[in-house]
């Protein structure tokens, strides 16, 4: 499939041929869901923790006599049955990450790129270069109508462009190796540079 290439000022810069095996696949929600879930679980800190009965701070003295009170028999104020007692089988620090085959991850990225292309949310620009001033880039982004956009460049991101984009709300920049399903789907517009297209096609071939 072919797409027009534009410059940041909106001028046309020719067209580019996109690989159908990467940018023209039928979207599959099940694969995208699996990859996004894998990403988010891997990113989860897993630092949740509660205190068990051996960790709460109370006296170990028997709280009242065994018989004659007319109530249930108890030996420790730390028991889970009491308010502020230890928690039984509560969360402990652990990793939430799970395995996902590399082929499924690669397919998920292809499907995410294809989904953007099919909905007309994929934009190809010549280069992501600017003078480093946020004001200039913000005006260009506004004229292009990008509200929530992700820009994916080649092997590295232009330093001036990254500096200018850092202060623009809704605009994020990644190198091609940082391209991932979650970030692509989260944004309304996916912007690829010509170098980014080449790098992604080389990565996913």
């Amino acid at each position: 499939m072919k797409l027009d290439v534009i410059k940041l000022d909106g001028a046309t810069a020719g067209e580019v041929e996109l690989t159908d095996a990467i940018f023209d696949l039928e979207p599959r929600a099940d694969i995208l869901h699996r990859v996004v879930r894998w990403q988010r679980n891997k990113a989860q800190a897993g630092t949740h923790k509660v205190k068990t009965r051996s960790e709460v701070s109370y006296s170990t003295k028997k709280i009242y006599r065994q018989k004659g009170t007319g109530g249930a028999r108890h030996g420790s104020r730390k028991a889970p049955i009491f308010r502020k007692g230890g928690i039984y089988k509560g969360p402990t620090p652990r990793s939430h990450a799970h395995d996902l085959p590399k082929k499924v991850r690669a397919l998920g990225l292809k499907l995410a790129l294809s989904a953007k292309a099919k909905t007309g949310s994929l934009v190809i620009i010549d280069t992501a270069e600017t003078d480093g001033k946020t004001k200039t880039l913000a005006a260009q982004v506004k004229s292009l109508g990008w509200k929530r956009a992700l820009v994916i460049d080649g092997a590295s991101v232009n330093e001036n462009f990254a500096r200018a984009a850092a202060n623009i709300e809704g605009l994020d920049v990644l190198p091609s190796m940082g391209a991932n399903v979650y970030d692509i789907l989260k944004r309304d517009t996916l912007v690829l540079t010509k170098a980014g297209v080449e790098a992604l096609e080389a990565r996913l071939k």
Side-chain angles (χ1 to χ4, degrees), residues 6-182:
I6 63 171
K7 295 182 179 179
L8 283 173
D9 59 6
T12 58
E15 58 182 24
V16 65
E17 182 75 33
L18 300 178
T19 306
D20 289 346
I22 297 175
F23 293 93
D24 196 24
L25 298 176
E26 282 299 318
R28 283 187 56 184
D30 59 325
I31 296 294
L32 293 173
H33 176 265
R34 284 181 67 186
V35 178
V36 169
R37 184 169 169 269
W38 169 77
Q39 275 188 247
R40 302 313 298 154
N41 284 1
K42 190 176 180 182
Q44 191 170 340
T47 52
H48 37 39
K49 175 74 173 71
V50 295
K51 290 185 177 181
T52 64
R53 65 182 296 166
S54 65
E55 294 169 321
V56 293
S57 179
Y58 278 112
S59 170
T60 56
K61 180 186 176 188
K62 187 172 176 65
I63 55 178
Y64 49 73
R65 59 195 176 121
Q66 180 81 347
K67 293 179 178 289
T69 63
R73 297 167 289 183
H74 291 290
S76 174
R77 181 66 182 75
K78 299 179 181 181
I81 197 172
F82 292 115
R83 185 170 178 272
K84 296 186 179 180
I87 303 298
Y88 177 65
K89 288 190 175 179
T92 56
R94 67 183 179 90
S95 170
H96 291 266
H98 60 267
D99 293 333
L100 190 68
K102 286 183 179 179
K103 288 184 178 180
V104 177
R105 287 182 252 163
L107 178 58
L109 186 52
K110 292 177 184 178
L111 291 169
L113 294 169
S114 296
K116 289 298 181 185
K118 282 192 178 297
T119 57
S121 304
L122 177 61
V123 178
I124 310 296
I125 60 174
D126 189 23
T127 56
E129 295 180 1
T130 185
D131 57 6
K133 294 182 179 178
T134 299
K135 184 178 180 180
T136 305
L137 183 58
Q140 292 173 331
V141 168
K142 186 176 181 180
S143 66
L144 290 167
W146 300 347
K147 292 185 178 179
R148 297 177 69 247
L150 172 66
V151 180
I152 298 179
D153 207 343
S156 60
V157 177
N158 179 272
E159 188 177 339
N160 286 339
F161 187 87
R163 187 185 304 116
N167 292 322
I168 300 177
E169 185 180 2
L171 184 65
D172 291 290
V173 187
L174 288 174
S176 60
M177 285 307 294
N180 64 87
V181 175
Y182 179 71

